[in-house]
Amino acid sequence: MDDRTANITLHTPEGMAYTCHNEGVCCHVFDTIPLDEHAAVELARLDHAALNAAAGNAGGDAIAVANAAGPTAEKVARKACGDCAMLTAQKLCAIHALAGEASKPRVCQDFPWRYVETPDGVFVGLSFVCPSVRANRGQAVSEQSASLANRYVTSGSVREAQSLVPLNGRVTLRWRDYMA
């Protein structure tokens, strides 16, 4: 672990496994795939013709990066079928294949991981939209602590636990009581 992750206490779900199996569900389930500032800068430097060719996009640029200097409203386009324009016929990401995972939009790098900061540390969760999560397929989540800590540090999918945890519409508990 590096200095950024040395003092992070991660709580992973017991008995859960997850590894991406390239089923492509995440590449068509979201309404939009926004380009965060980092991804806009990364994609601006890439050969868009090569990206579009790898993804099988016949005409036009699937990624428009007009303002790489700040937050953008640009997003990855969609194919007529609803898939992300960067999803290849092999259910792989053309951006990932040509430039590596770090060049992909933050939302793509984060999925299906979710993080909740609490007084007891960071609880790691997974989205059950993903078929690999639902099937409990892959490496045990508890064995992925080092990579999860690194992902957490850069994640855009971090929430902070509420000081009062709602149990239902009428009852709330303090964090310690909730954990008990």
Side-chain angles (χ1 to χ4, degrees):
M1 286 193 186
D2 65 25
D3 289 342
R4 298 174 306 155
T5 60
N7 295 319
I8 297 172
T9 301
L10 285 181
H11 301 278
T12 57
E14 290 188 31
M16 285 207 64
Y18 169 73
T19 303
C20 179
H21 288 86
N22 301 318
E23 296 185 49
V25 171
C26 54
C27 300
H28 72 260
V29 72
F30 300 111
D31 290 336
T32 61
I33 300 174
L35 289 179
D36 54 274
E37 185 176 347
H38 173 77
V41 169
E42 286 293 306
L43 295 175
R45 69 177 181 77
L46 296 177
D47 179 350
H48 286 210
L51 278 173
N52 283 294
N57 299 325
D61 195 358
I63 300 175
V65 183
N67 178 15
T72 68
E74 284 77 36
K75 58 188 174 193
V76 179
R78 294 281 183 196
K79 294 180 180 182
C81 65
D83 287 348
C84 170
M86 290 294 103
L87 187 63
T88 69
Q90 296 77 31
K91 302 290 185 203
L92 301 173
C93 175
I95 298 168
H96 192 140
L98 294 178
E101 182 180 17
S103 294
K104 294 177 5 182
R106 175 63 47 214
V107 68
C108 301
Q109 291 181 49
D110 287 349
F111 189 82
W113 302 106
R114 301 291 180 256
Y115 304 90
V116 178
E117 296 172 336
T118 75
D120 293 332
V122 177
F123 281 76
V124 178
L126 292 149
S127 170
F128 282 86
V129 167
C130 175
S132 292
V133 172
R134 287 193 310 269
N136 207 33
R137 290 174 48 196
Q139 182 182 14
V141 172
S142 61
E143 295 172 2
Q144 300 180 49
S145 293
S147 66
L148 288 172
N150 287 324
R151 284 181 178 276
Y152 161 72
V153 170
T154 61
S155 179
S157 299
V158 177
R159 293 184 329 180
E160 188 174 333
Q162 300 174 22
S163 58
L164 294 175
V165 179
L167 276 189
N168 59 37
R170 298 180 311 222
V171 177
T172 57
L173 296 174
R174 291 180 308 209
W175 177 255
R176 295 276 176 233
D177 296 332
Y178 172 75
M179 288 304 290

